[in-house]
Amino acid sequence: PSALSDDALAQLLNVVERVPGAEVTVEANPEDLSVERVEAWCSAGMTRLSVGLQSLDDAVLAHLGRGHSAQLARTVLGAVRRALPQLAISVDLIFGDDLEDDSSWLRTLEGVVALEVDHVSAYGLTIEPGSRWRGRQVDDAVLARRYELADRVLGEAGFRWYEVSNWAKPGAACRHNRAYWRRLPYVGLGPSAHSYEAGRRSWNVASWPRWRARVRAGLVPTEGLEVLTPEQQSLEALYLALRSSDGIVPESVPAHLAEFFEDTDSQRVRLTLRGRLLADAIALELGRDRRDAVARGA
């Protein structure tokens, strides 16, 4: 969105009528930011700024192909925070790059804390087929160590995890993130955007020219539709709840997995730090148990 002019972004934000108190997030890269631009976006209705920071190590940023330096990011985010102290600011980080070590990652985390942001999303580097990094391997032990470091540093700074990859200050959790993990309805309005409601998931055509041609012709740009069975919906609800601090009911956890869970304040259990590192494997195990129970008619 930050590639648009400020006027164009304001027009886009005003396409949809908003209820009072709506959360309105604009994603941006640091090199597109200035205090003046962010103030203009706030005037147009933005309530949360989400910044693709990724790292505060220049070597890592260059290796990831990012267009900003660590100093530029610190300068502009510091200026935005001073000018707009009430604005919710989120940053995205990536850990696990070849040029990153534990000390570099620690400096990034401490730098983010010093910027007084409200929300941090931290994702382990994954290598997608067809990317320029194909053939590279990411060490799971390294990713686990970096995740543990993030949880410790952010926790000591007053952040709390509410989804496996997301930490927030009290009251600053991203509401649209929570909506996805709680399977609330959402609508996607652009190329490749997804929508969900009542067990029906759809997605738009990914190609910008094809999407534009269909919209201009008055056609719905949906490319695919998936209707989940009741069993699929139940399993999906389990997987998503497992990844969040909301947790799941204790009855869903077999005895041999109990060590990976801890009690919450609402008669549910959630993953421990060790459990979060093994979340995918635990989800598969719980899913098998749920399917076996369905097959037995339980």
Side-chain angles (χ1 to χ4, degrees):
S2 58
L4 296 170
S5 70
D6 295 346
D7 287 343
L9 182 53
Q11 291 177 33
L12 186 62
L13 291 178
N14 286 313
V15 165
V16 178
E17 183 178 352
R18 296 189 293 272
V19 298
E23 179 182 79
V24 181
T25 301
V26 172
E27 295 189 352
N29 290 324
E31 62 268 29
D32 294 332
L33 294 177
S34 69
V35 170
E36 294 73 23
R37 294 202 75 193
V38 177
E39 287 177 335
W41 300 343
C42 289
S43 296
M46 180 186 74
T47 64
R48 179 184 293 269
L49 176 66
S50 179
V51 183
L53 186 63
Q54 314 312 353
S55 176
L56 286 174
D57 183 307
D58 284 334
V60 173
L61 289 169
H63 201 223
L64 292 173
R66 306 300 296 179
H68 64 276
S69 67
Q71 185 56 50
L72 183 151
R74 287 192 183 96
T75 299
V76 71
L77 280 173
V80 168
R81 171 48 79 214
R82 288 190 296 274
L84 298 162
Q86 303 306 316
L87 175 65
I89 300 178
S90 305
V91 297
D92 286 359
L93 301 176
I94 292 178
F95 57 90
D97 183 80
D98 290 347
L99 299 186
E100 175 191 86
D101 57 25
D102 289 352
S103 296
S104 164
W105 179 233
L106 177 60
R107 289 194 298 273
T108 287
L109 292 167
E110 291 175 339
V112 165
V113 169
L115 288 170
E116 299 182 4
V117 301
D118 308 281
H119 184 285
V120 177
S121 299
Y123 304 103
L125 181 66
T126 57
I127 309 301
E128 298 294 341
S131 77
R132 66 188 178 96
W133 288 296
R134 60 185 178 276
R136 283 175 51 191
Q137 298 294 319
V138 181
D139 189 326
D140 286 343
V142 169
L143 293 180
R145 192 166 66 248
R146 303 273 160 79
Y147 182 92
E148 290 172 334
L149 186 57
D151 192 68
R152 177 176 67 79
V153 172
L154 294 173
E156 290 173 352
F159 292 81
R160 295 293 177 263
W161 80 278
Y162 70 96
E163 190 277 329
V164 166
S165 298
N166 291 275
W167 292 260
K169 294 282 185 68
C174 181
R175 282 154 56 188
H176 75 253
N177 274 356
R178 282 198 179 277
Y180 303 145
W181 305 124
R182 292 172 175 173
R183 300 177 71 247
L184 299 177
Y186 53 88
V187 177
L189 301 174
S192 78
H194 284 55
S195 301
Y196 176 83
E197 184 174 15
R200 296 167 61 89
R201 181 176 292 108
S202 62
W203 52 94
N204 292 344
V205 295
S207 162
W208 160 247
R210 288 180 55 217
W211 181 90
R212 178 177 55 185
R214 295 192 67 168
V215 170
R216 284 180 170 174
L219 301 174
V220 175
T222 301
E223 184 171 52
L225 172 67
E226 177 184 23
V227 180
L228 303 177
T229 66
E231 180 185 352
Q232 288 172 324
Q233 292 187 57
S234 176
L235 286 171
E236 187 173 273
L238 174 67
Y239 295 155
L240 293 176
L242 183 70
R243 291 184 61 88
S244 83
S245 60
D246 291 342
I248 60 178
V249 294
E251 294 77 17
S252 299
V253 182
H256 68 284
L257 294 179
E259 64 179 298
F260 300 113
F261 290 85
E262 62 186 6
D263 292 336
T264 70
D265 297 330
S266 57
Q267 298 183 325
R268 297 170 74 88
V269 292
R270 65 187 171 204
L271 291 173
T272 63
L273 174 58
R274 178 64 177 167
R276 280 179 269 156
L277 293 172
L278 300 171
D280 289 345
I282 292 172
L284 288 174
E285 183 100 4
L286 294 179
R288 279 195 294 268
D289 289 348
R290 179 71 62 86
R291 285 190 293 269
D292 290 346
V294 171
R296 293 192 305 268

